[in-house]
């Protein structure tokens, strides 16, 4: 039963990541809300969490070390995403004279000309990080991403706990 919970739980997290990317792409291509540099980093981390979730849905660690290692990597990616969204919120809501900026003058670490056009269209940073051009219930998109990134840790801890209990019960 723990195997089924693990796989279904992580597959649900994978579908959540797909939905999040679909939401972002809808707003980019149909509402013309162009992503900024921090938005692109957040997107890449959502994609990374989605791929990790899909990997977990396919592969289940059989040892305590495997569960702890996978959970650590997953939590690190989620916390990295939370850190970037906090920075993004500071850029959006901090006073301009505070010195917090988007660092949009930095070069983007991926050569977009080497990628197919449809991929570079998804991850090309063209927006301004300080502009709040979307809000839901009065909160900007980085706030909701922060909720999501921190929220990913809740099912991760539950799924890891039940998997570790199953491993302990089997004596592995």
């Amino acid at each position: 039963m723990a195997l089924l919970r693990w796989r279904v739980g992580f597959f649900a997290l994978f579908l959540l990541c797909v939905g999040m990317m679909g939401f972002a792409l809808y707003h980019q291509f149909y509402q013309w809300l162009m992503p900024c540099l921090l938005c692109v980093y957040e997107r890449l981390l959502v994609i990374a969490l989605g791929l990790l979730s899909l990997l977990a849905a396919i592969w289940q660690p059989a040892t305590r070390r495997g569960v702890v290692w996978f959970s650590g990597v997953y939590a690190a990616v989620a916390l990295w995403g939370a850190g970037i969204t906090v920075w993004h919120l500071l850029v959006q809501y901090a006073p301009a004279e505070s010195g917090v900026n988007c660092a949009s003058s930095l070069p983007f670490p991926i050569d977009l000309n080497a990628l197919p056009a449809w991929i570079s269209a998804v991850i090309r940073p063209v927006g301004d990080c300080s502009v709040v051009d979307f809000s839901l219930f009065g909160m900007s998109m980085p706030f909701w991403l922060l909720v999501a990134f921190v929220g990913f840790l809740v099912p991760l801890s539950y799924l890891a706990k039940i998997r570790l209990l199953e491993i302990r019960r089997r004596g592995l």
Side-chain angles (χ1 to χ4, degrees):
M1 191 63 168
L3 173 65
L4 182 62
R5 276 190 235 155
W6 175 274
R7 291 180 191 249
V8 170
F10 277 108
F11 190 70
L13 290 174
F14 166 73
L15 291 178
L16 179 64
C17 290
V18 169
M20 289 170 66
M21 283 305 301
F23 185 80
L25 294 177
Y26 167 77
H27 282 286
Q28 178 180 346
F29 292 111
Y30 292 102
Q31 301 297 321
W32 297 102
L33 300 177
M34 294 297 133
C36 66
L37 182 66
L38 294 175
C39 294
V40 170
Y41 289 149
E42 293 158 353
R43 282 183 184 189
L44 291 174
L45 289 167
V46 168
I47 291 169
L49 283 175
L51 291 175
L52 284 171
S53 298
L54 184 60
L55 174 67
I58 296 169
W59 167 76
Q60 182 181 20
T63 63
R64 288 181 52 83
R65 183 181 296 173
V67 173
V68 169
W69 181 84
F70 178 79
S71 298
V73 169
Y74 199 93
V77 172
L79 290 172
W80 189 12
I84 289 177
T85 56
V86 166
W87 183 261
H88 198 166
L89 286 168
L90 286 172
V91 168
Q92 286 184 341
Y93 294 110
E97 60 274 354
S98 68
V100 178
N101 62 18
C102 184
S104 59
S105 61
L106 296 175
F108 191 61
I110 300 172
D111 181 15
L112 295 174
N113 295 326
L115 297 173
W118 67 273
I119 293 176
S120 64
V122 170
I123 62 171
R124 182 177 304 279
V126 293
D128 182 5
C129 296
S130 63
V131 175
V132 178
D133 51 8
F134 172 86
S135 67
L136 179 66
F137 305 120
M139 304 308 291
S140 66
M141 198 173 295
F143 172 80
W144 294 111
L145 278 169
L146 177 62
V147 170
F149 281 128
V150 173
F152 276 108
L153 299 174
V154 174
L156 170 67
S157 63
Y158 171 74
L159 294 169
K161 182 181 105 174
I162 62 170
R163 182 62 188 141
L164 288 171
L165 288 173
E166 177 72 17
I167 290 171
R168 182 185 303 156
R169 192 166 36 90
R170 288 188 175 182
L172 297 175

